[in-house]
Amino acid sequence: MPPSSPPPSRRAPRERLLIAQEAARLIAESGIHDFEHARRKAASKLGIHEEALWPRLADVEQALREHQRLFAATEQPGALHRRRESAMQAMQFLHAFQPRLVGAVLTGLAGDNSPVNLQLHCDDADAVQHFLHEQRIPAEARTCVLQLAGHASRQHFPGWEFAADGIAFELVVLPEDALRQPPVSPDDGKPLPRATLAQLKLLLAASPPPTGVA
């Protein structure tokens, strides 16, 4: 009789570590920048379909930090700083829409493949599209799925993506109520980290550019 598989409680630590490490590799090397998508893709690739065995997104973040420490310690700080500088300029440009910086550029995990993710707040999503058009910024429409605090389910929100000076930007337009009820993590329902322009400036002031970065 073939041996039975270990119970989930004993398999979980190993399976979660494997998925987190593979998700980190996908983010760093394959151009995937959505942590949830990377986690799902890694689990599928490894044949681990029980979501109870999947790591938290925080575990994927930690695995990515370790991957960057081992394989990108020289170039990653520069890539992060350039994106934070670009995020500051974009937030100044989009100030009328009360932008918030989110994602890897905020948390310090951004690399050469990472976009700048901004959440804008406006009850008229078309106003953002009109603004981009008036500024002659060729942007492609996209959709982002998020759950806002105080809401029972996830919703689809409009957005746009474009590139400037070799850096990708991804915008999502949320209702103005999302300033008080921000998007939450799919793992624990806690608000996702976000930064205002003033907070980003403080972050940049506290983190001088690495040697060799203008």
Side-chain angles (χ1 to χ4, degrees), residues 55-135:
R56 298 174 304 151
L57 295 180
D59 297 326
V60 176
E61 287 191 7
Q62 184 56 42
L64 180 57
R65 289 187 192 279
E66 181 65 13
H67 188 282
Q68 290 175 339
R69 184 185 70 81
L70 292 173
F71 302 107
T74 302
E75 61 269 21
Q76 191 268 339
L80 171 62
H81 187 82
R82 287 191 293 273
R83 280 155 180 76
R84 283 180 171 174
E85 289 277 6
S86 294
M88 180 179 67
Q89 295 170 10
M91 293 174 80
Q92 291 169 334
F93 180 68
L94 295 163
H95 69 92
F97 302 107
Q98 305 177 82
R100 298 292 186 270
L101 176 65
V102 296
V105 176
L106 173 60
T107 61
L109 291 167
D112 283 329
N113 294 323
S114 303
V116 173
N117 293 101
L118 297 177
Q119 294 176 353
L120 310 182
H121 300 81
C122 182
D123 289 333
D124 179 12
D126 289 341
V128 176
Q129 183 180 24
H130 293 155
F131 177 80
L132 295 174
H133 180 73
E134 289 173 356
Q135 299 299 319

Side-chain angles (χ1 to χ4, degrees), residues 140-146 155-161 171-172:
E140 183 176 343
R142 62 188 294 265
T143 299
C144 187
V145 182
L146 294 168
Q155 300 170 263
H156 289 78
F157 297 98
W160 287 269
E161 56 187 24
L171 314 178
V172 59

